[in-house]
């Protein structure tokens, strides 16, 4: 990215005068050094500390400095029946979100773009962005009420339409959790997700639409061949990011919707890798084991990111 | 304009209907919560409150504001937002300004150091024990220090600083100003759009943050508003205690069970409204700057 443009610049500095150059610009260095020290402490020390996944960490140890045990924690992890369930939940929730919540903002952006009234369009945008700005604690508060078994709006609507006889206890049965996770995420991020696409749409050359009009293209043909084609690079870029985050199944959302994993009715369907790390690590004090589960997730995520990027490279839309 | 076909018109109508559904589904939970918070608690239990209060009252808000816990939590939230935003902005902007200079010694090394953290991180366990060894457990600074720099924000600022004409800085440098003077006197004042955008990113993140308080802080007096709301929705007893301690002798014995039940929902909604009200007030402003930030980011990417 930008660092590449820097590399392309001719190198002015010569290595020999390095130290004197450094001292000459010591004030500039002092602007950077606090940030770099912060990064080393809060980003790189935990990265080193992840070695505790190959060790037997005990309270009082510094992460990464305990006794080595090799792949023992991973052997436990892969033979733990709970982990199979955790992996299933993570993959199902993430894939459902990928299939439904990834295309939804694209479609919504296309529909917004087709609206004729300028003020109506702006109002819809402003309102649909709102849930993005609240925390998942607030969103969960609203969703508990919206989906409440006791006069909740969704239950009242379904009852009055005669679709159900009794209110559904949405947070009382595990089988409802996957759709709830997908739909509440959609509720919160649908509007906000359109922004990048709308920006990409606005940079499409209007002459393309005029030319298509001349050729007698219909509205859907223009949407598909001009608008969608125009935002294709954006879609691919965001897809790479989404795939690279596939195993991060929105920790905040799942924690708050399950009452910080205290709702035992939901745990069979709601426990994902991140919440599992929290549960076994901080609640059951199996520190190294939890770190191993976390490391497993990071490794898979990076592999997915690189894989997605490689696929995208074929369409000349690679991230790096 | 060409005349519209029937298919076009049908599409427009369906499109507007879809938009209205999105608007209603988005707004309804907020309006319903507001209505419940402004409705008499005893009346709410009868059900059927939609988007306006049936028996208007400010009693629910009086109840939560009689509780010292709420004031304290609100103070913590404001403190972490203000202090966190100022310090984080300063450190992020300085790092970005330094890295924007092509003549910075070690620039490539620093940049790579930053970029790596966008793709790798240690995860929850090592971070947790780092915070513990630094003595940040049950410490106000745990809200500030571990989240001082976001590399993403830093990159947005760096891109902006790189777009500033170099002549501006050079003339000041020739006059003998050092980089700190240039940064504070020249660069920051002309960079208000990016500074405001990043400040809002950080401030909203601080205001909404809850997980740090959840795992690193057990002292009630250090908990922010998000934690109070979290306790209320997770433990019904917490909401009752807030309502009852405030209601005191005003509740007759026979009513206690019922009133407590009713109050939970009203108290929850009033607390929720109080938690988000500052965000909603500055929302139009917030929205504009957030979009601007995203645009700068997407131009770069």
């Amino acid at each position: 990215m930008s660092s590449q443009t820097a590399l392309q610049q001719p190198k002015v500095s010569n290595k020999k005068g390095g130290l004197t150059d450094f001292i000459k610009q010591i004030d500039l260095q002092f602007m950077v050094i606090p940030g770099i020290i912060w990064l080393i402490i809060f980003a790189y020390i935990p990265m080193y500390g992840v070695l505790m996944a190959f060790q037997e960490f005990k309270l009082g140890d510094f992460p990464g400095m305990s006794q080595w045990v090799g792949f023992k924690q991973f052997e436990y992890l892969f033979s733990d029946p709970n982990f199979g369930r955790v992996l299933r939940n993570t993959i199902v929730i993430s894939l459902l979100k990928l299939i439904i919540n990834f295309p939804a903002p694209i479609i919504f952006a296309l529909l917004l773009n087709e609206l004729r009234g300028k003020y109506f369009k702006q109002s819809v945008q402003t309102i649909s962005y709102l849930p993005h700005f609240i925390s998942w604690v607030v969103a969960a508060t609203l969703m508990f009420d919206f989906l409440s078994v006791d006069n909740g709006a969704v239950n009242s609507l379904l009852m009055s339409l005669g679709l159900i006889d009794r209110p559904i206890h949405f947070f009382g049965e595990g089988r409802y959790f996957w759709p709830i996770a997908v739909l509440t995420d959609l509720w919160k991020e649908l509007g906000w997700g359109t922004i990048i696409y709308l920006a990409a749409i606005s940079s499409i050359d209007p002459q393309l639409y005029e030319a298509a009009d001349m050729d007698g293209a219909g509205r859907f043909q223009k949407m598909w061949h001009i608008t969608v084609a125009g935002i294709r690079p954006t879609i691919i870029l965001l897809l790479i990011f989404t795939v690279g985050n596939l195993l991060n199944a929105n920790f905040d959302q799942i924690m708050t919707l399950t009452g910080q994993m205290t709702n035992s009715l939901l745990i069979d369907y709601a426990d994902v890798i991140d919440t599992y790390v929290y549960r076994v690590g901080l609640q059951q004090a199996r520190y190294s084991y939890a770190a191993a589960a976390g490391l497993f997730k990071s490794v898979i995520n990076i592999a997915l990111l690189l894989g997605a990027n490689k696929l995208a490279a074929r369409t000349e839309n690679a991230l790096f | 304009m060409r005349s519209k076909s029937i298919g076009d018109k049908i599409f427009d109508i369906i499109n507007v209907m879809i938009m209205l559904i999105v608007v209603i589904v988005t707004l309804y939970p907020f309006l319903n919560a507001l209505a419940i918070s402004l409705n008499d608690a005893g009346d709410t239990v009868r059900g059927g409150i939609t988007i306006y209060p049936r028996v208007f009252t400010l009693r629910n808000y009086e109840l939560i504001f009689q509780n010292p816990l709420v004031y304290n939590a609100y103070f913590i939230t404001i403190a972490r937002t203000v202090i966190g935003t100022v310090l984080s902005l300063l450190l992020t902007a300085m790092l970005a300004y330094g890295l924007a200079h092509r003549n910075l010694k070690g620039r490539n090394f620093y940049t790579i150091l930053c970029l790596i953290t966008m793709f790798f991180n240690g995860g929850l366990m090592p971070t947790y024990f780092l915070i513990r060894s630094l003595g940040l457990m049950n410490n106000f600074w745990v809200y500030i220090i571990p989240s001082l720099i976001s590399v993403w924000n830093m990159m947005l600022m760096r891109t902006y600083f790189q777009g500033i004409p170099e002549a501006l800085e050079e003339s000041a440098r020739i006059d003998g100003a050092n980089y700190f003077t240039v940064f504070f006197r020249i660069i920051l004042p002309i960079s208000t759009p990016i500074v405001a955008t990043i400040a809002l990113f950080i401030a909203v993140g601080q205001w909404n943050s809850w997980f740090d308080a959840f795992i690193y802080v057990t002292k009630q007096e250090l908990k922010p508003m998000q934690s109070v709301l979290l306790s209320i929705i997770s433990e019904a007893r917490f909401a009752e205690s807030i309502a009852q301690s405030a209601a005191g002798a005003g509740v007759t014995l026979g009513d206690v069970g019922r009133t407590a039940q009713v109050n939970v929902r009203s108290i929850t909604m009033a607390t929720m409204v109080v938690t988000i009200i500052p965000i909603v007030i500055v929302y139009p402003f917030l929205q504009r700057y957030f979009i601007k930030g995203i645009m700068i980011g997407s131009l770069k990417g």
Side-chain angles (χ1 to χ4, degrees), chain A residues 61-212:
Chain A
D61 288 357
F62 195 80
M65 308 261 202
S66 315
Q67 196 178 353
W68 294 93
V69 295
F71 285 88
K72 200 177 91 184
Q73 308 295 351
F74 291 91
E75 282 163 25
Y76 287 151
L77 188 67
F78 296 130
S79 57
D80 188 337
N82 282 327
F83 191 65
R85 188 193 64 183
V86 165
L87 213 51
R88 177 203 65 181
N89 293 337
T90 314
I91 292 169
V92 170
I93 293 175
S94 294
L95 281 182
L96 283 174
K97 283 181 179 171
L98 182 67
I99 295 164
I100 298 166
N101 296 4
F102 182 76
I106 303 173
I107 296 166
F108 191 52
L110 290 174
L111 292 178
L112 274 169
N113 189 48
E114 294 295 319
L115 282 179
R116 296 187 194 274
K118 189 177 164 229
Y119 292 105
F120 182 65
K121 182 182 165 188
Q122 276 177 358
S123 313
V124 174
Q125 283 178 271
T126 304
I127 290 168
S128 68
Y129 299 160
L130 180 64
H132 172 77
F133 291 86
I134 60 170
S135 67
W136 264 106
V137 177
V138 172
T141 310
L142 292 172
M143 289 300 119
F144 287 151
D145 199 57
F146 197 50
L147 298 170
S148 167
V149 70
D150 173 28
N151 286 312
V154 173
N155 269 317
S156 303
L157 182 71
L158 293 176
M159 295 270 278
S160 63
L161 291 173
L163 292 174
I164 49 171
D165 310 325
R166 275 180 291 138
I168 299 173
H169 199 357
F170 285 108
F171 290 97
E173 270 182 72
R175 65 195 172 105
Y176 294 120
F177 190 78
W178 291 345
I180 287 174
V182 172
L183 293 175
T184 55
D185 189 56
L186 189 65
W187 175 81
K188 196 167 180 300
E189 302 299 337
L190 172 69
W192 188 251
T194 63
I195 286 184
I196 292 182
Y197 297 116
L198 288 172
I201 289 173
S202 69
S203 64
I204 295 173
D205 186 355
Q207 284 181 345
L208 290 175
Y209 293 98
E210 285 161 24

Side-chain angles (χ1 to χ4, degrees), chain B residues 59-117:
Chain B
R59 179 84 185 128
N60 302 317
Y61 289 96
E62 282 169 23
L63 285 180
I64 61 170
F65 278 117
Q66 277 165 22
N67 196 304
L69 198 78
V70 172
Y71 280 104
N72 188 63
Y74 221 85
F75 174 74
I76 294 286
T77 295
I78 292 171
R80 71 173 292 174
T81 304
V82 172
I83 299 172
T85 306
V86 171
L87 292 183
S88 174
L89 193 61
L90 191 68
L91 208 64
T92 307
M94 276 170 33
L95 181 59
Y97 176 70
L99 291 182
H101 282 80
R102 292 216 181 82
N103 63 341
L104 177 77
K105 277 267 141 193
R107 181 178 189 254
N108 289 335
F109 170 72
Y110 294 143
T111 309
I112 290 167
L113 216 56
C114 291
L115 288 178
I116 287 174
T117 65

Side-chain angles (χ1 to χ4, degrees), chain B residues 283-300:
Chain B
Y283 175 61
F285 182 68
L286 212 61
Q287 196 215 150
R288 214 176 57 219
Y289 276 98
F290 261 67
I291 294 170
K292 208 178 268 176
I294 297 284
M295 296 301 176
I296 297 167
S298 64
L299 282 179
K300 189 181 74 85

Side-chain angles (χ1 to χ4, degrees), chain A residues 2 6 25 44 126 135 219, chain B residues 12 103 107 113 158 226 283:
Chain A
S2 310
Q25 52 165 245
Y44 284 92
T126 304
S135 67
R219 194 165 181 179
Chain B
D12 281 336
N103 63 341
R107 181 178 189 254
L113 216 56
R158 195 192 70 160
Q226 301 284 343
Y283 175 61

